[in-house]
Amino acid sequence: EDGATHQCNEDIALMRTIPGMTVINPADDVEARAAVEAAILHKGPVYLRFGRLAAPVFNDKDTYKFELGKGITLKEGNDITIIATGLMVSEAVAAAEMLKEDGINAGVINIHTIKPLDKELICKAAENSGILMTVEEHSVIGGLGSAVAEAVTECYPVPVIKIGINDEFGHSGPAVELLKEFGLCRDNIAAQVRKALK
């Protein structure tokens, strides 16, 4: 159903290194439409990343405001902050809800623009929670996790736990099952948060 040759787990890393490139990875339909409009109006090259799977729509099209380079706090939390992008944002929100049952107050930030990165918001989250976790449908090398780790070393160094594709190639299979296999799901996010907080 989903061939390994069609899985792009290194594109964000590659695009981040191109000077002047803007890198956007929207989380749902509402955000995707707004991102396309922002890309049209932006002066300069833009890389828009779209996942294959349909993502749950959680943004309200009547009130949603998209701003290049500005992340969105979806949930405040002071035990840990989960920073997610694209398809993983809804999974991070679901994981935070699961963790609430354990008494863990996990914040969630949607980073739709990976370059330029909202360093101010990330540094504030680092100071507030003391530990960050990134979740991305991408290699843990060079993507959102790397960008976040680079940012906090400059302002407020804290542990950054990265959930993504480890240093390996993908393989063929049903997309939903592959996400679970690589730990890109709410259950694993919640499990990794519990482990980190121990």
Side-chain angles (χ1 to χ4, degrees):
E1 181 183 332
D2 194 10
T5 55
H6 285 62
Q7 294 165 13
C8 203
N9 297 326
E10 61 288 318
D11 58 333
I12 293 171
L14 294 169
M15 288 296 165
R16 280 182 65 220
T17 65
I18 299 174
M21 182 66 70
T22 294
V23 181
I24 305 172
N25 188 21
D28 70 0
D29 173 70
V30 172
E31 193 161 82
R33 290 171 188 270
V36 170
E37 287 185 25
I40 292 166
L41 298 171
H42 179 69
K43 291 193 182 341
V46 177
Y47 179 71
L48 276 164
R49 185 186 212 245
F50 299 106
R52 177 179 176 175
L53 290 173
V57 176
F58 57 87
N59 287 304
D60 182 346
K61 66 179 182 178
D62 296 323
T63 60
Y64 180 75
K65 299 262 190 290
F66 182 93
E67 188 178 348
L68 278 176
K70 291 295 178 186
I72 301 168
T73 301
L74 299 176
K75 183 181 177 300
E76 297 282 354
N78 55 12
D79 290 327
I80 189 169
T81 302
I82 305 168
I83 301 172
T85 188
L87 190 60
M88 293 296 102
V89 175
S90 60
E91 291 298 307
V93 171
E97 288 302 311
M98 292 169 63
L99 291 163
K100 202 188 318 185
E101 296 172 12
D102 298 340
I104 297 170
N105 186 13
V108 180
I109 293 175
N110 170 15
I111 293 291
H112 51 64
T113 309
I114 299 166
K115 185 184 177 188
L117 188 69
D118 191 344
K119 293 180 182 178
E120 184 180 347
L121 182 62
I122 287 166
C123 291
K124 183 181 168 189
E127 187 175 359
N128 184 46
S129 62
I131 185 168
L132 304 177
M133 176 175 286
T134 60
V135 191
E136 59 192 312
E137 185 193 2
H138 182 274
S139 172
V140 293
I141 302 167
L144 173 67
S146 295
V148 167
E150 290 163 15
V152 296
T153 59
E154 296 175 6
C155 63
Y156 202 89
V158 297
V160 178
I161 297 144
K162 297 188 279 187
I163 295 179
I165 310 298
N166 291 314
D167 192 16
E168 59 186 303
F169 290 107
H171 53 263
S172 300
V176 174
E177 293 306 312
L178 287 173
L179 288 172
K180 287 181 182 173
E181 182 180 332
F182 286 105
L184 302 174
C185 58
R186 62 194 67 183
D187 291 334
N188 185 54
I189 296 167
Q192 293 304 316
V193 166
R194 292 184 194 104
K195 183 178 173 185
L197 292 179
K198 281 183 181 173

